Every structure is written in structure tokens, then in C-alpha cells.
Amino acid sequence: MSGHDTRKSSERASQRYAAFTTRAHRNEIHLQLALSAANMICFDWDIVEDRVARLDPQTMDLTAGETFNNNFRAVLAAVHDEDRERFRADVGDALADPDGRFETEVRIRNCDGSTAWYIECGKVERDSQGRPARLIGVAIDVTVQKLAEQALKQARDPKD
């Protein structure tokens, strides 16, 4: 291969890389807009390492620690007392399900003491031996809808 051919090949590779980078950046922007518009976060529980992270739609960074409960026990502790056992059972069902489908509705106690309602859905990823390795999914904040439902119910039946 001549020097000219090598240069052309290198230029084509650079152009392909630039096009790929542009597409990846656009996809990230689209994802960020969709998550923000739907009031959603993505979550990723590494079951083997017991680490929970969430994708913050504002920064598109996976975060853990102070801003979110970073292991399953901490997540369980944030779940409303009345929802905790059902939530645990829903997670257990997903881990046992060969399809690994996860779906639940749960109340979470925020750091400020307020309660938020989420619909969560996701999928269990398995390792090469078929053991649960990750649970990834989305959590949709439905707090506004739940508060509106409660207000409507109270307006219809003020005895509650």
C-alpha cells in the first residue's frame, strides 16, 4: 500500500469516527430530552457487586451515593413501609422469571421527607450461566398524577 493510499484510508477512518461521534452525541441529546419530558430516570443495579446507579437526565451521568441509594438495601430502606414487601417480591419475581421482566409501582421517601410515586419497569440481564447479573430499567415519576387522583377522590367523597 502506498503512502497516498494509507493517507486516504486514515482520512476515511477519521471521517467515519467523526460521523459516529456526531450520531452518538445526537442520540444522547434525544435520550436526555425524552427522559426529561417523561419525568423518568434510568437505573442500573449491578446485582453481583450490589451497586445501584441512576442516569440523571440533566447531566446524562450515572450517579450513585449521596444523590441516590447506592445498594439494594438502601433502596429498600427508601421504599415506603407499606410497599416494601411487595417491592421485594416484585424484584424477586423478576430475578426468578426466565424473561427477567420487572414492573412495579412504589412509593419512595425522599431525603426531605416527602413521598414520590414511581412506576418502574426493567429487565434482568443474565450472565453466561443464566444467573441474574443486572437489573436495568426506568422509573417514571407519577407523583403529580397520584396527588391529582387523591384530590379528585377526596372531592367526590369528602369523608375519606
Side-chain angles (χ1 to χ4, degrees):
M1 186 180 257
S2 72
H4 178 70
D5 291 339
T6 302
R7 235 183 347 270
K8 278 185 142 183
S9 178
S10 178
E11 287 173 13
R12 282 193 301 272
S14 291
Q15 289 169 347
R16 284 192 304 271
Y17 179 76
F20 172 78
T21 302
T22 299
R23 281 193 308 275
H25 180 69
R26 284 187 192 137
N27 288 343
E28 184 176 312
I29 291 170
H30 290 148
L31 176 60
Q32 183 179 22
L33 289 170
L35 290 172
S36 293
N39 210 11
M40 297 170 76
I41 61 168
C42 294
F43 61 84
D44 184 341
W45 175 31
D46 179 334
I47 297 166
V48 176
E49 298 293 326
D50 191 22
R51 276 186 296 198
V52 177
R54 71 180 180 100
L55 181 66
D56 183 334
Q58 302 307 313
T59 63
M60 296 305 286
D61 289 332
L62 277 173
T63 59
E66 291 179 19
T67 59
F68 193 67
N69 307 302
N70 63 358
N71 63 35
F72 188 70
R73 186 182 333 167
V75 170
L76 274 178
V79 172
H80 191 284
D81 295 342
E82 294 174 13
D83 296 348
R84 192 170 294 127
E85 287 310 310
R86 182 183 41 76
F87 177 77
R88 186 190 319 260
D90 290 344
V91 170
D93 289 348
L95 297 177
D97 181 0
D99 290 334
R101 296 184 189 276
F102 172 68
E103 189 168 329
T104 194
E105 183 174 314
V106 65
R107 290 173 286 177
I108 300 290
R109 286 187 317 272
N110 292 319
C111 295
D112 65 3
S114 65
T115 299
W117 282 263
Y118 289 93
I119 294 175
E120 297 185 0
C121 54
K123 184 151 177 61
V124 174
E125 291 182 347
R126 300 189 179 280
D127 65 15
S128 59
Q129 281 76 45
R131 295 178 299 230
R134 300 184 100 76
L135 175 58
I136 58 172
V138 295
I140 307 161
D141 187 338
V142 294
T143 304
V144 171
Q145 294 88 330
K146 289 293 186 178
L147 293 174
E149 287 173 14
Q150 287 177 348
L152 184 59
K153 182 179 178 187
Q154 286 180 340
R156 288 183 179 159
D157 188 9
K159 291 178 275 183
D160 287 343

